Amino acid sequence: MKLYQIFLLFAVVLSSTACSNWIYRIDVPQGNFLDDRDVKKLRIGMSKEQVIYVLGRPVVKDSFDHDTWYYVYDMKRGMSKRGKDFQKQMVISFEENKVAKVEGDFELSEDFNTPLDE
């Protein structure tokens, strides 16, 4: 009788672990999702208000350096068959409240170094 209970318990445990792929897990996006079309609208010399209009407010502003903004997007996949986890980021540096430098995982437009007409 004892052997039968152990075998039944073992069968239940194995069958429950086999169903783990049936459980739906959601993707968890966090941060600023930046569209490539919006990033290509950035130009050197844009004001902070213009950057907010184009990209939205940054996720992180440096507490000690108000002229550095961080746009970070983090995607945690719930299920591996939908792709891998990834993170994209962009750092915008300002000088005298104007865009001076942009670094990160996004490709800037060819016109980035051409300032907007004021």
Side-chain angles (χ1 to χ4, degrees):
M1 187 66 177
K2 192 81 158 161
L3 185 61
Y4 176 72
Q5 290 174 344
I6 292 173
F7 179 71
L8 184 61
L9 179 64
F10 186 70
V12 168
V13 169
L14 278 179
S15 64
S16 66
T17 58
C19 298
S20 66
N21 288 335
W22 293 357
I23 299 171
Y24 179 76
R25 293 181 195 92
I26 62 169
D27 294 341
V28 181
Q30 293 180 324
N32 293 93
F33 176 76
L34 298 178
D35 191 42
D36 288 330
R37 291 176 293 182
D38 293 335
V39 172
K40 291 196 184 292
K41 293 177 186 176
L42 284 178
R43 299 286 185 272
I44 198 143
M46 288 178 87
S47 68
K48 290 183 178 182
E49 291 81 17
Q50 290 171 321
V51 173
I52 290 172
Y53 181 77
V54 171
L55 300 179
R57 295 199 178 272
V59 172
V60 180
K61 289 184 184 177
D62 193 337
S63 299
F64 300 104
D65 181 12
H66 298 291
D67 290 332
T68 304
W69 289 1
Y70 299 91
Y71 288 86
V72 181
Y73 182 71
D74 191 32
M75 172 62 85
K76 298 281 188 201
R77 297 289 184 182
M79 301 178 81
S80 60
K81 66 182 177 183
R82 287 198 297 258
K84 294 186 177 187
D85 297 349
F86 67 91
Q87 183 182 61
K88 287 185 136 187
Q89 53 188 324
M90 181 168 50
V91 179
I92 301 178
S93 301
F94 295 91
E95 289 179 6
E96 298 177 9
N97 289 328
K98 303 284 183 184
V99 173
K101 182 172 66 170
V102 177
E103 300 172 318
D105 300 325
F106 293 92
E107 187 175 324
L108 300 173
S109 72
E110 296 173 0
D111 298 331
F112 174 75
N113 291 317
T114 306
L116 296 173
D117 294 326
E118 295 185 8

